[in-house]
Amino acid sequence: MTAASCAEIVALLGPYEDDDLPTEVRRRVEGHLLACRDCAWEAQTLRLTRERLREGIGEVVASDAFRARALARLHADNPHLAPAPAEPGAAEPEQYRLPLKI
Amino acid sequence: MTSSPTGRTFGSGNSGGGGDAYEARLIARFRDGDPRAMEILFDQYADRALGLAVRLTDTREDAEEVAQEAFLRAFRFARELRGETAVSFGAWLFAIVRSLASDRRRQLRLPGVVFSLAAPDLERVAATDGADLAEEAARRAEREDLLRALDTLPEEYRTVLALCDLEDVPHADAARVLGRSVAATKSLLYRARRALRDRLAALWKGEDDA
């Protein structure tokens, strides 16, 4: 492999890892990686770095307390919003009872 | 049409990150006074906005304050919008998170950890016992290396890694947050991954040499 073709392949490794290459170019990259140890190392270490980043840092999940606090602030900051409907099972307001007798 | 301070509007751009017709309808319903629309948008973005804030601030408390303030500002802006919109709510929200986190770091000027462990990691460490301890210690050391390596990266690198590789924000939305083209954002992402790899390699080499 020539140095020029290695540079070209290394430049394509980002989109290759993101599955963002046309099939023909992707095959060319894969063929090169099978034949070139340096580029294969480059591809493998980049992939490992990305995997470790995802596994090592962890997903952030907003806590119920944060959600409740933030939503309370958002409701207070948006007085144009209609009052939220009552929770299911809550007592029916007196004014909505129909004055019917069967 | 109302524009943001950066000349952007949001709502119906098809960025694949929620910036679609459904999102535009939610924003319209929110403007018309439907509280449920605001809650749906909040739920859709709460984890990712907080996730980005956690990566870009020093403590979980700071991150929650930044994320909450970003939501307040994003909805204030949405309330003032009129007519057709072009940029997704998420892109605008993430840009506010980034800006607020940057302001906070500038005010505090704190050295050290920026990328912090997510709370579940800390809970997992606390819950570990006996035979798993050595394995957990190794994993924790590896995570700390990762955090140290990340903290040495430029802010743009950390932001693009947090957006694209941790929060799975579409490239188009990440590009809007960073104020770059999609192609330039991808190029930045690839450079950031390579820089992180090189920092980690240097850390591990240093440990081997010691």
Side-chain angles (χ1 to χ4, degrees), chain A residues 66 70 74 77-78, chain B residues 30 38 41-50 64-77 89 93-94 96-97 100:
Chain A
F66 168 74
L74 284 170
D77 200 56
N78 288 281
Chain B
F30 161 74
M38 179 183 75
L41 277 165
F42 175 82
D43 279 343
Q44 195 163 301
Y45 285 106
D47 289 345
R48 283 183 291 169
L50 183 61
E64 291 195 351
E65 281 180 24
V66 161
Q68 179 175 292
E69 181 62 26
F71 271 111
L72 284 171
R73 293 189 189 190
F75 278 112
R76 277 176 204 156
F77 177 58
F89 182 82
L93 177 69
F94 297 139
I96 300 172
V97 168
L100 290 173

Side-chain angles (χ1 to χ4, degrees), chain A residues 22-99:
Chain A
T23 307
E24 191 184 319
V25 180
R26 181 172 187 82
R27 284 192 186 135
R28 191 149 56 87
V29 171
E30 285 168 348
H32 184 99
L33 293 180
L34 284 173
C36 176
R37 207 171 145 182
D38 288 347
C39 289
W41 179 88
E42 180 79 10
Q44 192 177 2
T45 52
L46 284 174
R47 187 178 310 132
L48 275 174
T49 301
R50 195 176 171 198
E51 285 170 9
R52 289 193 175 183
L53 181 62
R54 283 179 179 273
E55 291 164 9
I57 299 291
E59 187 184 359
V60 172
V61 178
S63 67
D64 289 345
F66 168 74
R67 286 172 183 274
R69 203 166 52 243
L71 275 173
R73 284 288 313 274
L74 284 170
H75 278 287
D77 200 56
N78 288 281
H80 74 292
L81 297 178
E87 291 293 318
E92 189 182 344
E94 192 68 28
Q95 64 267 33
Y96 295 142
R97 287 189 186 157
L98 295 175

Side-chain angles (χ1 to χ4, degrees), chain B residues 119-187:
Chain B
D121 289 319
L122 300 174
E123 286 160 11
R124 195 166 61 232
V125 171
T128 304
D129 59 4
D132 293 335
L133 268 178
E135 196 182 322
E136 185 56 42
R139 272 203 298 270
R140 184 154 181 80
E142 200 173 292
R143 279 198 295 273
E144 281 169 1
D145 282 348
L146 196 53
L147 295 172
R148 268 195 290 160
L150 281 163
D151 285 345
T152 65
L153 296 180
E155 190 269 348
E156 266 200 326
Y157 283 6
R158 292 198 308 268
T159 303
V160 78
L161 287 169
L163 286 169
C164 298
D165 281 354
L166 290 171
E167 303 306 329
D168 289 324
V169 171
H171 290 148
D173 279 357
R176 291 185 184 111
V177 174
L178 292 160
R180 290 167 175 257
S181 68
V182 173
T185 298
K186 289 180 182 178
S187 172

